[in-house]
């Protein structure tokens, strides 16, 4: 039955290529009837109001309105993207009444989720939203599949936006001159990067890319996982069957997935061969079980049928009628050698016509050239095997676009940008936003806490140590938590069947060592503990009840079914134990350099109905391999590279229906040499801070100034931080010929953390700040963080200091890592260039009012409230400022321009348009601090820390927020600058 309303709306919206126009007028022109009833807003309103999940008309309007919400450049609206004002402008142009607007806003809320951050040299606009809508066969099928899988409208819209951002920065596949873009997409560990590059692949082949090569890991299992995802969600049943009758068993011999539990129900169907439906087919050059071996039909496999033989393949008349080819290959020397050999046989003329997309999954693994430039022969680049083969592929395919995907980008951005044959992302770097529902760093680390000795809410809920004084090693407790959380999943599924699909797999990861012999011994130890645990006896139940009461009930999600007592949970423990014991053992060892360790049926998350196991392994479980259903982790492995350590964080990811059950047992004092220990939880927090800082800086500098980027991909390396001396960003900590000189942060909180440790330097800094303390008033004032009466406030002494006087203080300070603050200091020194400048600074010295406060005078000053802070990353402190101080400072500096600065008169009277704010923190590291009987503290024991907010007047509106300096090319080895261990 024809859906006339859907058909009319589709025609009308297709005519709105340049933005919204009057809907009723267009509908009247395009409708077949002389007086069409379908143009009535009432019928449309009723349809949307009554629409259920999957309604195609609502989905059509969701795509359209969201596209208008997100458009960065809209000629038809002056409102900013992602705002109610932008949506209102669209409704005005459409001519929709108030009632219809409310209905549409309910069905399609304004898309406010943060979009991807894009650092790009020369953005291209060949791939507009209109272009994408005209050719969207495979993307539409993928989008519909995601909705059937339960993806929310916001999640689909976010993926649409992020994948579009990648494709529009590839070269136009129909351009006459060949160009190969190089880009990098940065996601989070286990955050859905595969979904993004599946969307990119769908949009790219719709747009005209006809050869897609996915480099899918270094093992068959990982390659097979990627192949299956693309086959299931993009390529589809009809392209897999290739005309074979699904009802004829003989015709299905040799066809993939006939033994797959999800075939064919969960594989996308195009409802017929795409080529018959007016689109084009996809030919697979690899299968789930077979990596690339050779072009099955020789050179003909890459011979494309041309409608006009006298024109090249990339001519539009040829390109959009030709079938696409897709292969998923391992990053393996012999496999890539076969592919390169076959491509060479085909020859340059044909290859030069094929628009190609190369997607490199986990692009910082194996792909990066790790040879030492100092050992290269004169004028010749020496490459590692895989890097050299990728370089050859790019050379053989001049229209190849290279897009790397990784969660740990540091190795990629340290690639030499001057090496034109390498994979440096010279054209774009895109940082994906944190996805909705993702369990990441903020869920395990309390990054804003100031009391380093206190346990924050995230740590309290999810993180446990390896040892405790009462029981010693907590491995047995971790096993108890594993069976207990399995029972809780079964309980929840029985009370809410919609959760059952999320609990298909239930796993625990034990990662102690890289040594295979130790894995075997550890597996035996775990099996012994497991079989002696007596989970079905009184002793076992008593132990589980105590753990449930103390460690799971207090943190249970109120929105999910949770038993009120262990008695309600007890019947599910036996079934959980049975599932974990299936196959004869609760433990699987996953390690080694061969495939056999990964071919265990019990480890196949795709083909095995339920994987409920304890996995023991090392490196092979730490990258690319998705541990489905991971709930409990016992982690003790250390490494000296931040990106390697981050990839081992398998506990990050999506945990629908059980995120409150996730537990991380992690080493807090792991041996590192004969006398030293390291805190692995602190190490993860340090690199998480580094990555969050990196992403935040990319976001700040992504804004174009005068139509030009502030930062190019070649200038990214100086933005990479290293805050633990023993934990480098990547295997080689090298910076290329760009140094970060200046960071402008008007209206933003700046908090240095690299204070010195030498007693003489500490004394010097106190002496520098000492005259400022005399400027503070004797009486305290009350400052509030917001305008809410009775809100979180604090007492403080305040005073004012001229801008030149503050600069003298800041220029005279000593630092453990000068480069951490020098770019900010440079911006204050140049304040006023193109802007109004800075007149003075309000100095705030918070005073504690609790009975436990500690006060002391230094060098004859008034008593100061001492703040206890710890250095958590080498010489660097963690958080210094408190949120309430930071927010009050932002308001006073007029960074937050809300109506009415505060309910108090004091903050309003202090605010000035050209005034900044400095908040002082007299910090002590000892607890309790060393204070003399007379109430004095030695300056050698005091760190004079601070945070500041420069006024917006300090810089011009359209001035770059960041500035770089090129290293003198006459210096020896100037192309690469070695940084010390404390680089920031």
């Amino acid at each position: 039955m024809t859906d006339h309303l859907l058909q009319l709306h589709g025609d009308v919206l297709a005519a709105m290529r340049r933005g919204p126009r009057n809907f009723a007028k267009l509908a009247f022109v395009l409708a077949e009837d002389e007086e069409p009833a379908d143009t009535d807003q009432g019928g449309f309103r009723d349809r949307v109001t009554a629409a259920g999940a999957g309604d195609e008309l609502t989905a059509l309007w969701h795509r359209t309105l969201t596209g208008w919400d997100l458009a960065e450049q809209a000629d038809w609206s002056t409102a900013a993207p992602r705002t109610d004002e932008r949506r209102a402008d669209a409704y005005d142009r459409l001519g929709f009444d108030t009632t219809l607007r409310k209905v549409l806003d309910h069905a399609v809320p304004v898309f406010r989720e943060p979009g991807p951050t894009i650092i790009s040299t020369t953005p291209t606009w060949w791939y507009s939203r209109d272009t994408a809508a005209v050719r969207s066969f495979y993307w539409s099928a993928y989008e519909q599949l995601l909705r059937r899988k339960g993806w929310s409208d916001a999640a689909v819209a976010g993926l649409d936006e992020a994948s579009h951002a990648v494709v529009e920065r590839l070269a136009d596949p129909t351009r006459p001159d060949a160009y190969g873009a190089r880009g990098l997409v940065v996601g989070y560990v286990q955050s859905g990067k595969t979904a993004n590059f599946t969307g990119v692949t769908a949009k790219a082949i719709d747009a005209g890319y006809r050869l897609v090569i996915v480099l899918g890991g270094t093992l068959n299992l990982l390659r097979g996982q990627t192949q299956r995802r693309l086959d299931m969600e993009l390529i589809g049943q009809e392209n897999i069957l290739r005309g074979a009758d699904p009802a004829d068993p003989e015709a299905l011999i040799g066809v993939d997935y006939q033994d797959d539990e999800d075939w064919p129900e969960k594989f996308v169907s195009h409802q017929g061969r795409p080529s018959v439906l007016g689109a084009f087919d996809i030919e697979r050059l690899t299968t789930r079980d077979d990596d690339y071996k050779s072009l099955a039909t020789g050179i003909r496999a890459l011979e494309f049928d041309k409608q006009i033989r006298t024109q090249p393949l990339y001519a539009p008349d040829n390109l959009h009628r030709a079938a696409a080819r897709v292969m998923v290959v391992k990053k393996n020397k012999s496999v890539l050698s076969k592919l390169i050999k076959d491509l060479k046989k085909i020859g340059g003329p044909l290859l030069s016509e094929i628009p190609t997309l190369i997607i490199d999954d986990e692009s910082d693994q194996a792909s990066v050239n790790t040879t030492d430039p100092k050992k290269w022969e004169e004028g010749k680049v020496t490459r590692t095997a895989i890097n050299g083969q990728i370089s050859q592929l790019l050379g053989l395919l001049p229209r190849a676009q290279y897009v790397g995907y990784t969660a740990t980008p540091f190795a990629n951005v340290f690639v030499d940008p001057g090496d034109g044959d390498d994979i440096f992302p010279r054209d774009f770097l895109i940082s994906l936003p944190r996805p909705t529902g993702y369990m990441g760093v903020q869920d395990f680390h309390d990054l804003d806490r100031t009391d380093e000795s206190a346990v924050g809410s995230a740590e309290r809920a999810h993180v446990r140590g390896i040892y405790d004084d009462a029981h010693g090693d907590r491995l047995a407790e971790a096993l108890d938590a594993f069976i207990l959380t399995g029972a809780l999943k079964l309980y929840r599924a029985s009370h809410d069947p919609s959760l059952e699909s999320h609990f298909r797999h239930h796993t625990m990861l034990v990662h102690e060592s890289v040594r295979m012999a130790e894995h075997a011994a550890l597996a035996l130890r775990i099996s012994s503990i497991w079989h002696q645990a007596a989970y079905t006896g009184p002793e076992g139940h008593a132990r589980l009840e105590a753990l449930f009461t103390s460690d799971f009930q207090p943190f249970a999600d109120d929105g999910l079914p949770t038993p009120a007592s262990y008695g309600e949970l007890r019947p599910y423990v036996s079934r959980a134990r049975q599932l974990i014991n299936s196959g004869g053992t609760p433990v699987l060892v996953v390690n080694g350099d061969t495939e056999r360790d990964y071919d265990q049926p019990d480890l196949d998350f795709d083909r095995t109905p339920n994987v409920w196991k304890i996995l023991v392994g090392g490196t092979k479980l730490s990258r690319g391999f998705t541990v489905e259903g991971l709930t409990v982790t016992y982690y003790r492995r250390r490494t000296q590279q931040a990106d390697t350590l981050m990839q081992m964080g398998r506990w990050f990811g999506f945990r629908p229906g059980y995120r409150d059950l996730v537990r991380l047992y992690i080493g807090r004092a792991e041996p590192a040499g004969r006398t030293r220990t390291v805190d692995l939880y602190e190490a993860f927090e340090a690199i998480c801070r580094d990555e969050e800082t990196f992403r935040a800086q990319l976001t700040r500098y992504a804004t174009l100034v005068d139509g030009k980027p502030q930062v190019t991909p070649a200038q990214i390396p100086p933005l990479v931080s290293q805050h633990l001396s023993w934990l480098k960003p990547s295997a080689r900590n090298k910076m290329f010929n760009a140094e970060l000189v200046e960071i402008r942060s008007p209206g933003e909180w700046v908090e240095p953390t690299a204070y010195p440790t030498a007693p003489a330097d500490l004394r010097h800094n106190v002496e520098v700040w000492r005259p400022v303390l005399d400027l503070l008033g004797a009486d305290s004032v009350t400052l509030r963080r917001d305008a809410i009466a009775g809100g979180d406030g604090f007492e403080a002494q305040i005073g004012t200091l001229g801008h030149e006087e503050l600069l003298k203080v800041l220029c005279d300070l000593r630092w453990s890592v000068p480069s951490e603050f020098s770019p900010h200091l440079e911006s204050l020194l140049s304040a006023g260039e193109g802007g109004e400048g800075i007149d003075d600074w309000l100095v705030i010295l918070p005073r504690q009012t609790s009975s436990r406060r500690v006060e002391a005078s230094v060098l004859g000053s008034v008593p100061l409230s001492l703040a206890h802070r710890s250095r958590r990353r080498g010489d660097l402190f963690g958080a210094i400022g408190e949120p309430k101080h930071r927010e009050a400072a932002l308001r006073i500096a007029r960074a937050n321009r809300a109506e009415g600065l505060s309910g108090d008169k004091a903050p309003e009277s202090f605010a000035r348009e050209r005034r900044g704010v400095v908040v002082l923190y007299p910090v002590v590291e000892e607890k309790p601090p060393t204070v003399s009987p007379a109430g004095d503290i030695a300056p050698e024991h005091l760190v004079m820390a601070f945070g500041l907010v420069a006024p917006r007047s300090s810089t011009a509106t359209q001035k770059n927020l960041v500035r770089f300096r090129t290293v003198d090319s006459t210096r020896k080895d100037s192309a690469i600058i070695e940084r010390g261990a404390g680089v920031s």
Side-chain angles (χ1 to χ4, degrees):
M1 182 178 176
T2 302
D3 188 337
H4 294 288
L5 190 61
L6 174 63
Q7 186 174 355
L8 176 63
H9 280 237
D11 292 340
V12 172
L13 293 178
M16 297 184 188
R17 295 289 173 82
R18 299 185 180 278
R21 295 162 57 189
N22 189 279
F23 185 88
K25 291 181 179 178
L26 274 176
F28 187 82
V29 172
L30 295 173
E32 296 180 358
D33 300 333
E34 291 186 5
E35 294 185 9
D38 290 340
T39 61
D40 177 52
Q41 290 188 19
F44 175 32
R45 182 189 63 238
D46 294 343
R47 167 77 174 265
V48 174
T49 302
D55 179 66
E56 291 188 44
L57 181 62
T58 305
L60 172 65
W61 275 96
H62 188 282
R63 288 193 297 271
T64 304
L65 290 173
T66 300
W68 290 334
D69 288 345
L70 298 177
E72 291 294 332
Q73 295 184 337
D75 296 336
W76 49 271
S77 174
T78 59
R82 294 177 164 83
T83 60
D84 293 329
E85 291 75 17
R86 168 67 68 82
R87 178 66 70 85
D89 285 348
Y91 288 149
D92 288 344
R93 291 178 64 88
L94 290 165
F96 285 172
D97 60 32
T98 303
T99 306
L100 180 54
R101 295 182 188 209
K102 290 181 179 179
V103 169
L104 282 172
D105 280 341
H106 178 75
V108 188
V110 174
F111 190 85
R112 305 181 194 277
E113 297 294 324
T117 298
I118 301 167
I119 303 294
S120 182
T121 49
T122 52
T124 56
W125 309 106
W126 67 272
Y127 186 70
S128 66
R129 283 284 172 181
D130 294 336
T131 305
V134 171
R135 303 187 187 280
S136 60
F137 181 86
Y138 283 99
W139 165 255
S140 296
Y142 181 46
E143 179 186 19
Q144 291 168 17
L145 176 95
L146 295 178
R147 293 185 186 280
R148 289 196 299 273
K149 288 175 65 175
W151 279 48
S152 66
D153 288 340
V156 172
L159 178 62
D160 182 13
E161 180 188 19
S163 55
H164 185 96
V166 176
V167 176
E168 73 177 347
R169 279 163 180 81
L170 307 179
D172 182 348
T174 66
R175 64 183 284 171
D177 56 317
Y179 181 76
R182 306 285 183 267
L184 180 68
V185 179
V186 182
Y188 291 79
V189 172
Q190 298 199 135
S191 65
K193 295 185 297 296
T194 305
N196 183 274
F197 73 64
T198 301
V200 167
T201 302
K203 290 174 179 262
I205 60 177
D206 280 336
Y209 282 90
R210 286 299 174 262
L211 175 61
V212 178
I213 302 172
V214 179
L215 304 177
T218 58
L219 292 165
N220 264 337
L221 180 68
L222 306 183
R223 190 210 68 81
Q225 280 184 345
T226 303
Q227 178 84 51
R228 183 177 183 272
R229 281 283 297 273
L230 288 174
D231 286 341
M232 175 185 283
E233 299 181 347
L234 171 65
I235 294 173
Q237 298 176 34
E238 293 80 8
N239 286 318
I240 294 171
L241 290 169
R242 298 197 67 182
D245 184 355
D248 183 354
E250 291 187 4
L252 296 178
I253 295 175
V255 175
D256 255 357
Y257 303 111
Q258 300 312 301
D259 61 343
D260 193 297
E261 185 176 272
D262 293 329
W263 175 272
E265 287 80 9
K266 293 186 179 180
F267 282 68
V268 66
S269 173
H270 303 297
Q271 307 301 316
R273 290 293 293 271
S275 54
V276 176
L277 298 175
F280 55 90
D281 297 334
I282 296 177
E283 297 182 13
R284 300 186 307 149
L285 302 182
T286 54
T287 66
R288 179 191 64 184
D289 298 321
D290 292 326
D291 199 348
Y292 183 86
K293 295 178 178 177
S294 63
L295 291 177
T297 55
I299 294 176
R300 286 189 54 79
L302 286 180
E303 285 186 351
F304 292 82
D305 294 329
K306 298 180 182 179
Q307 294 292 315
I308 305 175
R309 293 191 172 276
T310 57
Q311 292 188 9
L313 174 64
Y314 56 80
D317 288 339
N318 286 330
L319 194 61
H320 296 301
R321 291 177 172 84
R325 272 75 165 174
V326 174
M327 64 176 80
V328 182
V329 300
K330 285 200 304 289
K331 282 192 270 190
N332 174 279
K333 183 178 179 181
S334 62
V335 172
L336 292 176
S337 292
K338 293 174 186 175
L339 175 58
I340 290 168
K341 181 180 178 181
D342 284 345
L343 290 176
K344 286 181 176 178
K345 289 178 183 178
I346 294 172
L350 177 58
L351 296 182
S352 67
E353 296 183 7
I354 305 175
T356 302
L357 173 62
I358 298 177
I359 289 178
D360 188 353
D361 192 16
E362 304 293 351
S363 61
D364 61 320
Q365 182 188 34
S367 303
V368 175
N369 187 16
T370 57
T371 62
D372 187 351
K374 297 176 182 178
K375 298 179 180 179
W376 295 349
E377 295 180 21
E378 188 68 28
K380 182 180 179 181
V381 177
T382 302
R383 301 189 185 281
T384 48
I386 303 301
N387 177 264
Q389 289 172 319
I390 293 174
S391 179
Q392 286 187 69
L393 281 176
L394 295 173
L396 289 168
L397 297 159
R399 294 180 178 274
Q401 319 294 305
Y402 173 89
V403 182
Y405 278 79
T406 183
T408 48
F410 298 151
N412 294 82
V413 300
F414 287 147
V415 170
D416 184 357
D419 185 352
D421 296 326
D422 211 336
I423 59 173
F424 182 81
R426 66 190 181 208
D427 294 284
F428 63 87
L429 188 152
I430 295 177
S431 176
L432 300 177
R434 172 186 164 114
T436 303
Y438 176 71
M439 192 172 187
V441 54
Q442 293 92 339
D443 300 288
F444 293 92
H445 298 270
D446 299 278
L447 300 182
D448 262 344
R449 76 182 189 277
T450 55
D451 186 351
E452 304 294 350
S453 63
V455 176
S457 59
E459 182 179 352
R460 189 180 303 111
H462 298 292
V463 182
R464 308 291 176 262
I466 294 297
Y467 296 98
D468 68 20
D469 295 335
H471 305 95
D473 187 352
R474 298 173 75 175
L475 179 58
E477 179 189 312
L479 296 177
D480 288 350
F482 179 53
I483 192 171
L484 192 63
T485 52
L488 282 163
K489 288 182 180 181
L490 295 174
Y491 175 91
R492 287 179 174 177
S494 69
H495 288 74
D496 184 354
S498 68
L499 295 172
E500 189 170 358
S501 62
H502 299 311
F503 304 152
R504 174 181 168 185
H505 305 302
H506 177 58
T507 53
M508 173 178 174
L509 175 61
V510 181
H511 192 159
E512 278 197 357
S513 167
V514 71
R515 297 182 178 89
M516 294 169 58
E518 294 182 12
H519 295 163
L522 180 58
L524 287 174
R525 180 184 167 211
I526 291 172
S527 292
S528 176
I529 296 173
W530 178 267
H531 292 299
Q532 295 176 28
Y535 285 124
T536 56
E539 181 184 341
H541 282 301
R543 201 172 59 249
L544 293 179
E545 181 174 10
L547 185 62
F548 171 73
T549 303
S550 65
D551 200 24
F552 285 90
Q553 264 190 327
F555 307 107
D557 186 337
D558 294 336
L560 293 168
T562 302
S565 68
Y566 180 76
E568 294 180 35
L569 182 64
R570 180 170 177 158
Y572 298 90
V573 173
S574 178
R575 176 57 180 160
R577 178 175 176 272
Q578 182 183 15
L579 285 168
I580 296 167
N581 279 330
S582 65
T585 176
V587 185
L588 294 179
V589 176
V590 186
N591 59 18
D593 297 321
T594 65
E595 299 288 346
R596 68 177 183 274
D597 299 288
Y598 298 85
D599 288 338
Q600 305 174 62
D602 288 341
L603 191 61
D604 192 329
F605 293 109
D606 295 330
R607 284 180 273 191
T608 303
N610 304 101
V611 176
W612 283 48
K613 291 297 172 198
I614 303 162
L615 307 181
V616 176
T619 303
K620 294 300 185 292
L621 278 177
S622 67
R623 181 185 284 275
F625 185 86
T626 300
V627 182
E628 301 284 357
L630 181 60
T631 310
V632 178
T633 302
Y634 183 90
Y635 184 85
R636 301 185 62 183
R637 163 90 184 280
R638 63 177 292 268
T639 177
Q640 294 187 354
Q641 281 79 47
D643 49 5
T644 303
L645 185 63
M646 193 65 178
Q647 287 287 352
M648 295 178 189
R650 299 288 98 185
W651 47 91
F652 298 139
F654 297 94
R655 305 287 182 257
Y658 64 100
R659 63 187 297 149
D660 60 324
L661 307 182
V662 172
R663 295 294 181 271
L664 168 62
Y665 290 81
I666 189 167
R668 305 301 301 262
E670 293 302 305
R674 294 182 177 179
T675 59
R676 192 167 63 94
T677 62
V678 296
D679 185 334
L680 293 175
Y681 179 69
E682 178 186 275
F684 268 101
E685 180 170 313
I687 59 176
C688 289
R689 287 182 184 275
D690 293 343
E691 291 203 359
E692 291 302 305
T693 299
F694 180 69
R695 293 174 192 274
Q697 291 190 85
L698 292 181
T699 300
R700 287 191 65 206
Y701 310 139
T703 304
L704 299 180
V705 175
D706 295 329
K708 298 178 181 179
Q710 299 184 60
V711 175
T712 67
Q715 294 170 323
I716 292 300
L719 302 183
V720 176
S721 302
Q722 177 191 336
H723 287 139
L724 281 180
S725 60
W726 59 270
L727 190 64
K728 296 183 177 182
S730 192
R732 297 186 303 161
N733 184 25
K734 296 182 177 179
M735 304 275 274
F736 294 96
N737 63 335
E739 285 186 304
L740 184 58
V741 173
E742 180 178 6
I743 298 176
R744 295 180 180 271
S745 306
E748 294 196 23
W749 176 262
V750 174
E751 183 177 286
T753 59
Y755 294 98
T757 57
D761 292 338
L762 293 174
R763 168 179 275 275
H764 171 83
N765 285 357
V766 173
E767 291 172 345
V768 170
W769 279 109
R770 179 63 186 80
V772 178
L773 299 178
D774 290 337
L775 300 176
L776 302 177
D779 298 328
S780 296
V781 299
T782 300
L783 302 176
R784 300 196 183 279
R785 67 192 298 179
D786 53 39
I788 300 174
D792 196 3
F794 61 96
E795 298 294 310
Q797 291 175 268
I798 61 172
T800 56
L801 182 68
H803 181 57
E804 294 300 324
E805 285 69 30
L806 179 65
L807 288 180
K808 292 176 184 178
V809 171
L810 298 180
C811 288
D812 202 13
L813 294 176
R814 297 176 184 175
W815 304 90
S816 62
V817 185
S819 60
E820 196 219 27
F821 183 63
S822 60
H824 297 285
L825 177 58
E826 181 69 24
S827 74
L828 296 177
L829 289 168
S830 62
E833 295 179 4
E836 298 176 11
I838 304 174
D839 288 339
D840 57 19
W841 294 78
L842 182 72
V843 182
I844 298 176
L845 179 69
R847 296 187 63 91
Q848 297 181 21
T849 56
S850 73
S851 59
R852 294 178 299 169
R853 69 183 182 275
V854 178
E855 294 188 340
S857 299
V858 63
L859 300 179
S861 72
V862 297
L864 310 175
S865 290
L866 305 182
H868 178 264
R869 303 288 187 268
S870 299
R871 299 182 194 260
R872 297 185 60 83
R873 299 165 285 168
D875 291 343
L876 279 72
F877 285 88
I880 294 283
E882 296 186 26
K884 60 185 177 183
H885 303 157
R886 186 166 60 237
E887 306 237 353
L890 288 169
R891 295 183 66 82
I892 295 172
R894 300 195 177 219
N896 184 346
R897 294 179 175 273
E899 286 292 329
L901 289 176
S902 172
D904 295 330
K905 293 182 179 179
E908 282 197 345
S909 64
F910 299 137
R912 300 288 185 276
E913 198 65 43
R914 293 156 57 92
R915 171 174 288 177
V917 179
V918 179
V919 183
L920 290 180
Y921 292 97
V923 167
V924 291
E925 300 178 65
E926 299 173 314
K927 199 171 186 180
T930 305
V931 179
S932 73
D936 296 322
I937 186 169
E940 291 84 357
H941 294 167
L942 193 66
V943 178
M944 286 300 293
F946 65 92
L948 60 83
V949 185
R952 295 192 183 279
S953 62
S954 63
T955 188
T957 305
Q958 290 298 310
K959 190 171 180 64
N960 282 19
L961 296 176
V962 64
R963 184 162 59 88
F964 294 88
R965 174 174 57 214
T966 302
V967 176
D968 185 352
S969 61
T970 62
R971 287 172 50 189
K972 185 179 179 181
D973 297 328
S974 62
I976 298 175
I977 303 167
E978 292 280 0
R979 292 295 188 187
V983 68
S984 176

